Amino acid sequence: TQEWAKKLGNAEAWKEYWFSPDTHLVQFVGKDNIPFHAAIFPAMTMGQNLPYKLVDALPANEFYHLEGRKFSKSDGWFIDMEHFLCTYTADQIRYTIASQAPETADSSFTWKGFQKACNGDLLGKYGNFINRVLVFASRACAGRVPAPHTLEEIDREFLNAIQKTLEEGKEHFAGFRMKKAAETLMGLAQAANVYFDAKKPWKDAKSHLPRMETTLYLSLQAIAALALLSWPIIPQTADRVW
């Protein structure tokens, strides 16, 4: 940040972050670094006799392995990210790691797990719902968000599920529980697919337009919620969805 401040033309700008009591400082560490970051490093910071911001939260994870073995550059047991990102997207690996986060126990990146996360979750649940709703709504409602009409019990339950999921997701992110946040996100995507299939708006398009428009309105609200929930994990995709 000192280099950034100099490039900005304001050499003191870094202090707005590191000296400000308004800064909320979070340090994500591995479990082997807890003693240093919880005691030694704060003591060294306080010993500077400068108003440096001390850490507010110290979420520590267990270890993340590769196919059950520790990552090792010297042993050639690693994934080259430059090569990886020539084939896959940053969002794909971000979601995979979040959904497997070693928050309470060691976990591993596996290629089978990566395949399942991409094809089963991102494509099969999240992407499938968003695509089918947007394509159908664009065709059936001339690209406009329809107004809701009389809500049935299934509609009210789905609307409550959307709101409840947003609140749960907010709590998970605030508590640094990325794995639970990813589970909550995909839980909503799955529930949304079930709702859309149960309502069958393609049938209502022929004989019951108000019911179809209500289904599409709630489905679009679910897409907005999915975009919000997924943004911390898959920001590029979430921006496109939004």
Side-chain angles (χ1 to χ4, degrees), residues 53-66:
K53 184 70 174 69
L54 295 178
V55 65
D56 291 292
L58 194 65
N61 285 324
E62 307 285 327
F63 292 146
Y64 195 51
H65 300 305
L66 173 58

Side-chain angles (χ1 to χ4, degrees), residues 4-239:
W4 161 82
K6 291 177 181 177
K7 290 179 180 178
L8 195 67
N10 180 6
E12 301 296 305
W14 65 274
K15 293 180 180 179
E16 296 175 13
Y17 294 91
W18 293 105
F19 286 177
S20 173
D22 295 330
T23 292
H24 187 73
L25 178 58
V26 181
Q27 295 177 357
F28 291 88
V29 300
K31 59 183 176 182
D32 55 334
N33 282 326
I34 293 174
F36 178 80
H37 280 273
I40 301 171
F41 187 47
M44 294 169 64
T45 303
M46 294 167 68
Q48 300 301 307
N49 293 320
L50 291 170
Y52 281 110
K53 184 70 174 69
L54 295 178
V55 65
D56 291 292
L58 194 65
N61 285 324
E62 307 285 327
F63 292 146
Y64 195 51
H65 300 305
L66 173 58
E67 298 284 357
R69 287 171 49 191
K70 289 183 178 181
F71 280 85
S72 174
K73 197 75 178 285
S74 58
D75 291 342
W77 195 250
F78 66 97
I79 296 173
D80 182 81
M81 289 309 297
E82 186 173 355
H83 177 72
F84 181 94
L85 292 172
C86 288
T87 307
Y88 308 106
T89 68
D91 279 358
Q92 285 175 302
I93 189 63
R94 286 172 65 101
Y95 173 75
T96 300
I97 294 175
S99 66
Q100 302 171 351
E103 292 172 346
T104 57
D106 292 354
S107 62
S108 282
F109 174 90
T110 66
W111 286 105
K112 279 292 184 183
F114 177 65
Q115 183 184 48
K116 180 178 180 295
C118 293
N119 295 346
D121 289 350
L122 291 176
L123 182 63
K125 296 177 183 178
Y126 182 94
N128 179 55
F129 172 71
I130 291 169
N131 181 69
R132 66 198 298 217
V133 170
L134 290 180
V135 169
F136 186 86
S138 178
R139 184 175 67 248
C141 302
R144 294 178 177 273
V145 178
H149 301 276
T150 303
L151 297 184
E152 302 171 21
E153 182 63 24
I154 187 175
D155 300 320
R156 288 191 289 270
E157 290 178 355
F158 185 50
L159 194 58
N160 289 336
I162 293 172
Q163 188 58 43
K164 181 181 178 182
T165 302
L166 283 171
E167 293 171 358
E168 289 177 352
K170 180 180 179 180
E171 291 178 2
H172 292 320
F173 283 124
F176 313 112
R177 297 184 294 271
M178 296 299 149
K179 187 174 183 179
K180 291 297 293 183
E183 289 177 3
T184 300
L185 165 67
M186 286 304 156
L188 177 59
Q190 179 65 20
N193 275 301
V194 171
Y195 168 79
F196 197 72
D197 288 337
K199 289 296 294 289
K200 297 181 174 58
W202 51 91
K203 288 188 176 181
D204 290 332
K206 301 175 183 178
S207 58
H208 202 333
L209 284 178
R211 189 172 191 268
M212 178 206 73
E213 290 178 342
T214 298
T215 300
L216 291 179
Y217 171 82
L218 290 178
S219 296
L220 291 167
Q221 297 307 307
I223 288 178
L226 288 170
L228 289 169
L229 276 173
S230 63
W231 191 82
I233 300 175
I234 48 173
Q236 293 177 344
T237 301
D239 279 342

